[in-house]
Amino acid sequence: MSITPEQMEILPGAAEGSMVINMGPQHPSTHGVLRLVVELDGETIVDVVPHIGYLHTGIEKTCEYEQYQKCIPLVERMDYLSAMNNSLAFVLSVEKLLDIEVPPRGVWMRMIFSELQRIASHLVWLGTHALDIGAMTPFFYCFRERERILDMFEHLSGVRMFPSWIQVGGWRADMPEGLLEKIAKFVEEFPARVDDYEGLLTENPIWIERTRNIGIITADECIALGINGPILRGSGYAFDLRKANPYLYYDQVEFDIPTGTVGDVYDRFLVRVEEMRQAARIVKQCIERIPEGPVSSEDRKVVPPPREELDNSMESLIHHFKLWTEGFRPPEGEAYVPIEGPKGEIGYYVVSDGSNRPWRVKTRPPCFMNLQALPLMSKGHMVADIVAIIGSIDIVLGEIDR
């Protein structure tokens, strides 16, 4: 089929005689409103151009019009599959501006729920990735375990997807009675569930045929494009911010960094599967070490006083009123604290002008960086392979079109 003038506009440089097709922005395998303009020679991919912007939310700019603590529900919605990781990254930057410390129990709690959120995010990735390639059973299995994690989030906060329970200075409240035991039971049972996923896929000849030597990217190419997380580790480079630049108490727990060798879709699958086991291992250690005590700072000018104080203290009542009406005012300055999210490095560059609202909020989102790899990974493969490659990148468009 000859290329038309209209097609030339959406893919400049397409060769004469090639076919240009649109994939998305409503295709289920694009994992959101991602539009791909694909140039084909027969069924072979010549070029792919991702077009983004169909879900633009303006979250970064909206944050600049909100008080700091009111930004947390917003940033959680960027990557709705790992809300707690997003709120943690934002809060750590603000706490750096304020030079405020969280009590040990609050820090261990943040590690527990960050790792549970990592498992939940990887479960959605694995289930949908397998579904894209034609395996339906892993989808049901993965969502079964994810439901258990969301139940724990609901037990903690009353909310499943966007708890907004992490706050500047700590947590909104401690874990309710029985939740820690529920988490301990889950991480004890979960590795056997991961064995089930691998039993269905790892040695499956169809899965291997669809994923091995597909979408290869080298570690040098990842670094050149600013890509990290499971994609970089799948290419053999053992970089993980939890070890390279430890935050919270990650330097006090033991865990391994899984890596691949080829850098293909199959290696990225193996890396994320092992990361789920390692996350459960980290949570076990956190449960063994978490102490009793407060979960939030006692700086009443930043952290709202507990409910019981409001009945007995006029000063606490004033703090409560002023915090929820005026917020707090970090000193002038800037801060950026990156964390290892499920999809790679995520961090919030926050600039304070001394007012009760951030002067600038800029996100370093892993999905936006990782999507750059799609054309490089796809060229020369068959059109059916692009579905497997997109799944292996693990994108969430809410974070890309922020």
Side-chain angles (χ1 to χ4, degrees):
M1 179 185 291
S2 297
I3 191 167
T4 65
E6 290 77 15
Q7 291 170 333
M8 287 296 291
E9 288 182 8
I10 58 175
L11 189 59
E16 184 72 25
S18 62
M19 180 167 64
V20 176
I21 63 170
N22 273 303
M23 183 175 173
Q26 283 85 27
H27 194 286
S29 296
T30 56
H31 293 227
V33 283
L34 172 64
R35 175 192 173 202
L36 301 176
V37 180
V38 187
E39 181 185 359
L40 295 173
D41 179 8
E43 290 190 43
T44 303
I45 299 168
V46 178
D47 198 5
V48 181
V49 177
H51 284 242
I52 61 175
Y54 294 90
L55 191 66
H56 188 57
T57 56
I59 286 177
E60 287 173 330
K61 186 55 66 180
T62 305
C63 285
E64 295 167 13
Y65 289 88
E66 298 290 346
Q67 295 169 11
Y68 285 92
Q69 71 269 31
K70 294 178 182 175
C71 297
I72 294 171
L74 290 171
V75 299
E76 285 195 341
R77 281 155 176 79
M78 283 192 196
D79 180 357
Y80 36 82
L81 299 180
S82 57
M84 285 220 198
N85 298 110
N86 279 50
S87 56
L88 174 64
F90 177 78
V91 161
L92 287 176
S93 290
V94 178
E95 287 172 352
K96 187 177 180 182
L97 278 172
L98 289 160
D99 193 24
I100 189 172
E101 287 195 8
V102 177
R105 183 174 175 83
V107 177
W108 286 110
M109 265 182 69
R110 285 182 173 183
M111 287 179 62
I112 290 172
F113 284 95
S114 290
E115 295 306 315
L116 287 176
Q117 186 76 83
R118 186 183 316 278
I119 293 173
S121 177
H122 280 1
L123 285 172
V124 174
W125 158 78
L126 180 56
T128 55
H129 185 42
L131 195 65
D132 288 343
I133 297 178
M136 184 171 284
T137 305
F139 178 81
F140 296 126
Y141 281 8
C142 290
F143 272 67
R144 178 188 61 193
E145 272 70 65
R146 179 180 180 254
E147 280 299 302
R148 291 184 65 185
I149 295 176
L150 295 187
D151 286 345
M152 295 173 208
F153 292 171
E154 186 177 13
H155 193 168
L156 173 73
S157 65
V159 180
R160 296 167 66 79
M161 287 282 285
F162 306 112
S164 299
W165 211 246
I166 295 175
Q167 66 177 358
V168 178
W171 291 82
R172 290 191 180 277
D174 201 347
M175 288 182 283
E177 190 175 346
L179 179 54
L180 200 59
E181 290 74 15
K182 188 185 289 187
I183 295 171
K185 185 172 186 292
F186 173 79
V187 293
E188 191 63 38
E189 297 171 353
F190 182 65
R193 302 291 181 263
V194 181
D195 294 343
D196 291 341
Y197 313 147
E198 287 221 81
L200 288 167
L201 297 173
T202 303
E203 301 297 331
N204 185 316
I206 299 173
W207 181 259
I208 291 173
E209 184 73 20
R210 292 295 310 274
T211 59
R212 192 167 281 175
N213 294 318
I214 301 295
I216 294 175
I217 186 168
T218 67
D220 288 340
E221 289 169 335
C222 287
I223 293 168
L225 291 171
I227 295 167
N228 52 34
I231 298 178
L232 177 61
R233 293 190 284 274
S235 299
Y237 195 96
F239 177 81
D240 188 312
L241 280 165
R242 293 172 295 178
K243 281 190 182 290
N245 184 28
Y247 54 97
L248 302 181
Y249 292 151
Y250 278 107
D251 55 347
Q252 299 181 30
V253 294
E254 294 181 359
F255 64 99
D256 300 323
I257 303 176
T259 56
T261 53
V262 179
D264 55 9
V265 172
Y266 189 73
D267 272 350
R268 294 191 278 279
F269 156 71
L270 293 178
V271 163
R272 290 193 179 97
V273 166
E274 182 56 28
E275 283 185 1
M276 288 195 281
R277 289 198 181 92
Q278 295 300 320
R281 183 182 171 195
I282 292 171
V283 174
K284 277 186 185 179
Q285 296 174 65
C286 294
I287 293 171
E288 291 167 359
R289 300 186 185 189
I290 187 168
E292 293 297 326
V295 296
S296 297
S297 165
E298 295 187 356
D299 185 346
R300 296 289 178 257
K301 294 190 182 302
V302 176
V303 179
R307 177 65 183 83
E308 54 271 20
E309 280 187 20
L310 302 183
D311 295 333
N312 305 309
S313 169
M314 177 57 75
E315 189 178 5
S316 291
L317 192 62
I318 292 170
H319 283 315
H320 175 86
F321 177 76
K322 289 180 74 66
L323 269 173
W324 292 117
T325 54
E326 299 177 7
F328 50 81
R329 298 172 183 270
E332 288 185 29
E334 56 189 26
Y336 176 76
V337 181
I339 71 167
E340 187 67 40
K343 301 168 180 66
E345 176 185 339
I346 181 164
Y348 289 85
Y349 173 64
V350 183
V351 181
S352 168
D353 61 357
S355 71
N356 60 347
R357 299 172 183 172
W359 183 78
R360 184 70 75 233
V361 174
K362 181 67 178 171
T363 315
R364 193 281 181 200
C367 293
F368 183 76
M369 311 301 285
N370 296 348
L371 185 61
Q372 297 178 91
L374 183 63
L376 183 62
M377 290 177 177
S378 304
K379 289 176 185 176
H381 289 296
M382 307 299 283
V383 66
D385 295 329
I386 200 168
V387 171
I389 296 170
I390 293 171
S392 76
I393 296 176
D394 189 17
I395 55 169
V396 167
L397 268 297
E399 190 184 86
I400 293 171
D401 291 348
R402 66 204 176 282

